[in-house]
Amino acid sequence: EVQLVESGGGLVQPGGSLRLSCAASGFTFSTYWMHWVRQAPGKGLVWVSRINSYGSTTGYADSVKGRFTISRDNAKNTVYMQMNSLRAEDTAVYYCARDGPGSLPDYWGQGTLVTVSS
Amino acid sequence: QSVLTQPPSVSAAPGQKVTISCSGSSSNIGNNYVSWYQQLPGTAPKLLIYENNKRPSGIPDRFSGSKSGTSGTLGITGLQTGDEADYYCGTWDSSLTAVVFGGGTKLTVL
């Protein structure tokens, strides 16, 4: 059974940093691209970033480019999101998702809440 | 403002059928696959349809998908109260080089 478990969310002040983790199990992690998608309170889904299976190719939404960095450790079956220079508008539930058919997310984690506030 | 356009809400009675549209452009839906996701209240999104019209294992055939030109459509027949959820379409946008989602459609089963 595919499982994705996010952690690392919490309350952070504007301008601060946070690192999210997503532990994967139930599939061969090292062969899949991975995504991060976020959802602000009461709002829709917004794609944030993706990384290829080797960790050598990444992509970002314009809204986070230069502030967020996605990475992975295939030995630990874990994908990360380093978030710097956080803003109030980054407040959201952050979901980790596996890449599936059509280069789109298929399996999703339960999410971790990031709140940026003073 | 989302790249893909969905109606904010749809409603129908139990047992009836409903369709949800997702409108895009040639840079996204027109040349890429569409997926559909169901998000029940307080839970993570769940894949309902992939590659325009395919259902993952375990998804009932009451759920169907189609694509024509730059639009995709999700159909749900035999509506149940348990189908009340937010539904999102998603696709790859070749110009933005990003995954894009619709704004979501809230389904109410009256």
Side-chain angles (χ1 to χ4, degrees):
Chain A
E1 178 195 4
V2 173
Q3 283 201 319
L4 299 167
V5 180
E6 300 93 336
S7 60
L11 175 63
V12 60
Q13 292 188 339
S17 298
L18 213 54
R19 188 176 87 152
L20 306 182
S21 299
C22 171
S25 61
F27 64 101
T28 306
F29 178 76
S30 62
T31 63
Y32 283 85
W33 289 62
M34 297 294 293
H35 299 265
W36 285 97
V37 178
R38 69 185 181 184
Q39 186 171 36
K43 303 296 185 182
L45 303 174
V46 176
W47 179 79
V48 175
S49 181
R50 70 173 188 167
I51 187 168
N52 74 342
S53 57
Y54 304 104
S56 57
T57 299
T58 58
Y60 299 92
D62 286 344
S63 58
V64 306
K65 209 169 286 184
R67 300 188 299 123
F68 289 13
T69 303
I70 190 172
S71 63
R72 66 191 295 159
D73 185 338
N74 286 344
K76 294 184 178 179
N77 286 357
T78 301
V79 61
Y80 305 97
M81 178 61 74
Q82 177 66 43
M83 304 186 296
N84 298 331
S85 303
L86 283 162
R87 307 166 180 166
E89 54 265 36
D90 295 318
T91 294
V93 173
Y94 285 74
Y95 295 102
C96 158
R98 191 183 77 168
D99 188 64
S103 300
L104 300 169
D106 57 5
Y107 288 94
W108 300 62
Q110 86 289 348
T112 187
L113 176 63
V114 172
T115 303
V116 184
S117 175
S118 55
Chain B
Q1 194 79 348
S2 301
V3 173
L4 306 180
T5 300
Q6 297 180 234
S9 63
V10 295
S11 62
Q16 296 301 303
K17 173 184 177 178
V18 71
T19 60
I20 298 172
S21 60
C22 176
S23 177
S25 67
S26 59
S27 67
N28 43 66
I29 292 178
N31 285 283
N32 294 289
Y33 286 118
V34 178
S35 286
W36 287 92
Y37 304 90
Q38 177 192 59
Q39 187 174 34
L40 296 169
T43 70
K46 175 183 176 181
L47 181 65
L48 277 183
I49 299 289
Y50 67 95
E51 291 182 349
N52 304 332
N53 56 18
K54 298 176 183 176
R55 282 177 288 105
S57 169
I59 300 300
D61 59 7
R62 299 189 299 107
F63 296 90
S64 64
S66 65
K67 179 183 129 173
S68 178
T70 59
S71 292
T73 301
L74 173 70
I76 311 173
T77 60
L79 280 170
Q80 303 172 2
T81 55
D83 295 332
E84 287 201 331
D86 293 322
Y87 292 84
Y88 294 90
C89 58
T91 190
W92 178 256
D93 191 296
S94 305
S95 295
L96 297 174
T97 57
V99 174
V100 291
F101 293 101
T105 299
K106 183 176 182 61
L107 168 64
T108 301
V109 181
L110 303 168

